């Protein structure tokens, strides 16, 4: 594997880890999942995905103190 490819893979892994650590949803992982496991479905747009994730995290029925 070339150095550039190794660097790119390491960067993607670090970015995904950082997103998971702070709770930011990963749109690219979502799209890859939908395409792999639900081939007949159309993935949400990035904007719709972000809104849905925000509602799931902070919507009704959720109470967080901080």
């Amino acid at each position: 594997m070339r150095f550039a490819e190794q660097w790119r893979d390491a960067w993607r892994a670090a970015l995904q880890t950082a997103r998971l650590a702070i709770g930011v949803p990963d749109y690219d992982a979502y799209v890859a999942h939908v395409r792999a496991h639900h081939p007949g479905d159309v993935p949400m747009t990035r904007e719709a995905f972000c809104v849905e994730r925000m509602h799931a995290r902070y919507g009704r029925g959720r109470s967080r103190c901080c």
Side-chain angles (χ1 to χ4, degrees), residues 1-57:
M1 183 182 285
R2 295 178 28 198
F3 178 73
E5 292 171 348
Q6 290 175 333
W7 179 252
R8 185 176 52 236
D9 291 345
W11 175 252
R12 285 182 182 159
L15 188 60
Q16 185 177 20
T17 300
R19 286 179 175 157
L20 288 172
I22 62 173
V24 174
D26 188 346
Y27 180 73
D28 295 331
Y30 159 74
V31 171
H33 171 82
V34 170
R35 289 185 177 153
H37 299 285
H38 310 280
D41 293 348
V42 176
M44 290 184 276
T45 63
R46 184 176 298 272
E47 293 78 18
F49 174 76
C50 290
V51 169
E52 192 275 332
R53 291 288 80 213
M54 292 297 284
H55 284 290
R57 186 169 187 178

